[in-house]
Amino acid sequence: MAQALVGLSLPSKMSGYLSFSALSEWLIEHIEITALVICFIGYQYFDYQRVQHATMVVQTPQQRDFFYVDYFVLDKTSDARHRYVPLKVLEIDQQNVTFKVGNIAHSTAVSPGEHMKFDKAMQRDFYRADTLTLSKDKIANLFNSGVIYDARRPRNIYIDGWVVMTLAELNSK
């Protein structure tokens, strides 16, 4: 057995304990794997933060929050092909939340930024004339089941860089 190992020489970084310099050399040698792992961890963290924010918005809704829903589940008379719409919180009382229902829908669940792309929320026909009222318990159930697939609370007049309300609306709290 010892004769078979005579031709093999272990690199210095493999002998003994793993040192910081050996680890950093390995990471540099395998930069593609390192970058991929860092990107994966970053994406997972970003997604975790997004879900936590959406959960907080759903649990404590405020006026001018936006919920993104599969509207066909809520209203079977609506168009099944264009079912994903935004809802904007208008009023909140002890038990219920009243929403303004978006009029421009998508056939797949898209990001909030995609819903608001090109400042669509500023168009006159972005919202329907009628409103929707849901209980807070129903909202929690819809979020847990995935019917409400995202929720955002804009800190200013923008969501993902797209205008969703006027400055006058923002200042009229």
Side-chain angles (χ1 to χ4, degrees):
M1 173 96 173
Q3 293 174 347
L5 295 176
V6 171
L8 295 175
S9 64
L10 294 174
S12 62
K13 63 183 175 186
M14 294 300 288
S15 60
Y17 294 105
L18 184 64
S19 67
F20 180 73
S21 62
L23 179 63
S24 64
E25 286 176 25
W26 186 90
L27 290 174
I28 291 170
E29 287 175 12
H30 300 89
I31 192 71
E32 298 88 2
I33 294 172
T34 304
L36 186 64
V37 168
I38 290 171
C39 288
F40 178 75
I41 291 170
Y43 176 77
Q44 292 297 319
Y45 178 75
F46 174 76
D47 193 50
Y48 172 78
Q49 290 294 327
R50 183 191 58 77
V51 169
Q52 291 301 318
H53 179 74
T55 304
M56 183 267 307
V57 170
V58 168
Q59 289 174 349
T60 58
Q62 295 179 2
Q63 194 174 18
R64 291 184 285 285
D65 285 348
F66 287 84
F67 290 42
Y68 300 91
V69 301
D70 180 353
Y71 192 68
F72 184 72
V73 174
L74 301 175
D75 181 9
K76 295 294 184 193
T77 63
S78 64
D79 187 1
R81 288 179 299 145
H82 300 98
R83 58 195 308 162
Y84 298 96
V85 299
L87 303 176
K88 182 178 179 182
V89 177
L90 288 179
E91 295 177 7
I92 303 164
D93 62 25
Q94 293 295 342
Q95 296 299 321
N96 298 315
V97 179
T98 302
F99 297 96
K100 216 180 219 186
V101 180
N103 199 28
I104 300 174
H106 291 268
S107 57
T108 60
V110 297
S111 69
E114 190 67 27
H115 272 289
M116 304 306 177
K117 199 172 190 177
F118 307 117
D119 302 334
K120 288 179 190 171
M122 301 311 294
Q123 295 175 1
R124 211 179 318 174
D125 64 344
F126 186 73
Y127 297 105
R128 300 174 190 180
D130 53 335
T131 60
L132 172 69
T133 302
L134 298 171
S135 70
K136 291 181 179 179
D137 293 334
K138 174 101 173 160
I139 291 170
N141 291 337
L142 291 171
F143 182 70
N144 291 334
S145 68
V147 174
I148 297 175
Y149 62 90
D150 206 345
R152 295 287 176 94
R153 176 170 296 147
R155 285 181 270 155
N156 47 32
I157 64 171
Y158 304 101
I159 288 180
D160 293 348
W162 301 105
V163 177
V164 296
M165 68 182 83
T166 64
L167 280 173
E169 188 178 5
L170 179 67
N171 294 328
S172 67
K173 277 194 171 184

